Amino acid sequence: MHITLAPMEGVVDSLMRDMLTRIGGFDLCVTEFIRIVDQLLPKRVFYRTCPELHNNSMTPAGVPVKIQLLGQDPNWLAENAARAIELGSHGLDLNFGCPAKTVNKSRGGAILLKEPETLYQIVSEVRKAVPQGTILSAKMRLGFNDTSLAFENAQAIAAAGADLLVIHARTKLDGYKPPAYWNWIAEIKKVVDINIVANGEIWSAQDAVNCQIKSNCQDIMLGRGALALPNLAQIIKQGAAQMPWDEVRMLLVAYSGYEIFGDKGRYFPNRLKQWLGYLKLQYPQAGILFNEVRALKTANEIIPVLNKV
Ligand SMILES: Cc1cc2nc3c(=O)[nH]c(=O)nc-3n(C[C@H](O)[C@H](O)[C@H](O)COP(=O)(O)O)c2cc1C
């Protein structure tokens, strides 16, 4: 089984990727999306989103990282994809699932699931622009308001030359509301001939097994579940025990150290609070901590609290 750490804008940054891949169980990471509108972005944008490019596009634990692009213009996406690969990204992923209103309003993300023809054009232009052998993947939901175009969209992506398709088994309208419709993935798998990765609502080893059975997919992607339970990938692969709270707390302290000494100090309070929001689903202690830091605005105020718990 191959487990990918899901791209999560605003929370799975290079520091989170570093921590989670050190714990183990992940085979691949995908960056937060880089928004492409109407230009070739400067190299520094790629390095900022994916500092791992300085390390052969690997996390320090040696897990490959691929860049994700989000946009609607096939040519600009193609140019930026070529740049990502030239800088060393371990393959390239295209986002056709983002539900954010601002993104959808400018025809990016999940809204493109209304236009299989546009998906085809984007994937084929990107395919042409990247060197042969580049692993090109796309990540889609089952649809925008409904699943009526699920097959057409997957077929368009495959026909245009993608190697791999990640399916988040919900529509945009479903948002993040359970359940994820894993059985839909199995249906899509019958009509496309590329590798498929199943995603959505995997919070435990049992969920992973159920997802594999219902989706008929070996490979899975973990998002919020891996933030709630940092060693979820190991639990799934090796039957490991749930990481004790004390180790999680050490991770939180390490995260704060990284953020302060890295160049993202100003993001730290929000990112930490967001992470605690997921951790509290599995650890009651994280809920208590969340309440204690909720009103704090700087890392300097938050760190002593983390050290004291
Ligand atoms: C806060 C947040 C940010 C996300 N950012 C991205 C993103 O940048 N690109 C993307 O393709 N999906 C993004 N997603 C979707 C996840 O990758 C994943 O498909 C979704 O959370 C379902 O998986 P899960 O149930 O395991 O969390 C995001 C989800 C959340 C909750």
Side-chain angles (χ1 to χ4, degrees):
M1 182 202 319
H2 193 274
I3 302 186
T4 304
L5 176 61
M8 289 181 68
E9 206 266 325
V11 51
V12 179
D13 54 14
S14 62
L15 310 168
M16 186 63 81
R17 292 193 289 272
D18 180 8
M19 282 195 303
L20 295 182
T21 58
R22 271 177 210 261
I23 295 168
F26 289 104
D27 300 289
L28 177 72
C29 300
V30 183
T31 66
E32 299 165 86
F33 67 78
I34 299 180
R35 178 88 177 93
I36 306 300
V37 183
D38 54 6
Q39 59 174 313
L40 176 60
L41 293 176
K43 292 180 181 171
R44 70 183 139 76
V45 176
F46 293 82
Y47 284 112
R48 194 171 61 218
T49 306
C50 186
E52 293 95 336
L53 290 174
H54 293 294
N55 183 40
N56 228 353
S57 207
M58 302 272 188
T59 68
V63 176
V65 183
K66 76 160 83 166
I67 289 180
Q68 184 184 70
L69 302 182
L70 181 154
Q72 71 289 350
D73 184 293
N75 296 317
W76 287 121
L77 282 164
E79 288 214 26
N80 282 283
R83 171 157 284 182
I85 297 302
E86 177 197 310
L87 294 178
S89 173
H90 190 90
L92 196 282
D93 189 57
L94 293 166
N95 178 322
F96 300 132
C98 181
K101 271 205 183 83
T102 44
V103 166
N104 289 176
K105 236 176 20 205
S106 55
R107 285 188 62 235
I111 194 106
L112 293 174
L113 298 172
K114 291 179 169 183
E115 305 175 24
E117 177 57 28
T118 308
L119 295 187
Y120 180 87
Q121 281 169 13
I122 290 174
V123 176
S124 51
E125 285 310 311
V126 171
R127 176 84 273 169
K128 279 186 248 162
V130 295
Q132 223 182 355
T134 301
I135 305 276
L136 175 57
S137 58
K139 183 159 172 286
M140 64 175 262
R141 284 177 177 253
L142 296 178
F144 193 76
N145 288 322
D146 58 47
T147 53
S148 58
L149 291 174
F151 294 136
E152 283 89 333
N153 285 328
Q155 284 167 323
I157 288 167
D163 302 293
L164 184 86
L165 178 60
V166 180
I167 304 178
H168 175 190
R170 278 183 273 241
T171 63
K172 184 264 173 193
L173 193 65
D174 296 328
Y176 294 99
K177 221 174 36 228
Y181 301 93
W182 297 322
N183 55 317
W184 256 100
I185 301 176
E187 295 305 312
I188 294 174
K189 208 164 168 239
K190 289 181 191 160
V191 301
V192 291
D193 198 17
I194 57 175
N195 290 328
I196 307 252
V197 175
N199 169 238
E201 221 58 41
I202 299 173
W203 300 90
S204 66
Q206 191 57 53
D207 287 342
V209 171
N210 294 345
C211 173
Q212 284 183 309
I213 293 170
K214 286 202 174 162
S215 67
N216 195 23
C217 278
Q218 188 73 5
D219 298 334
I220 58 174
M221 173 182 273
L222 304 177
R224 295 161 302 156
L227 296 177
L229 204 48
N231 69 331
L232 180 59
Q234 272 193 326
I235 295 174
I236 291 172
K237 272 192 178 163
Q238 293 144 24
Q242 170 167 340
M243 179 180 268
W245 168 249
D246 224 36
E247 280 179 35
V248 176
R249 196 179 63 78
M250 299 303 288
L251 287 178
L252 292 165
V253 173
Y255 192 54
S256 64
Y258 278 130
E259 291 280 356
I260 282 187
F261 298 114
D263 61 355
K264 298 183 115 181
R266 67 204 164 93
Y267 294 127
F268 166 67
N270 285 342
R271 292 199 171 214
L272 182 88
K273 286 176 207 171
Q274 212 174 340
W275 188 18
L276 283 172
Y278 291 111
L279 283 171
K280 71 183 185 184
L281 300 172
Q282 297 282 356
Y283 297 92
Q285 300 92 327
I288 297 167
L289 197 52
F290 183 81
N291 290 334
E292 287 191 40
V293 301
R294 192 203 297 262
L296 305 180
K297 295 213 162 46
T298 66
N300 285 341
E301 293 170 294
I302 292 174
I303 289 164
V305 182
L306 297 182
N307 280 316
K308 161 186 109 184
V309 186

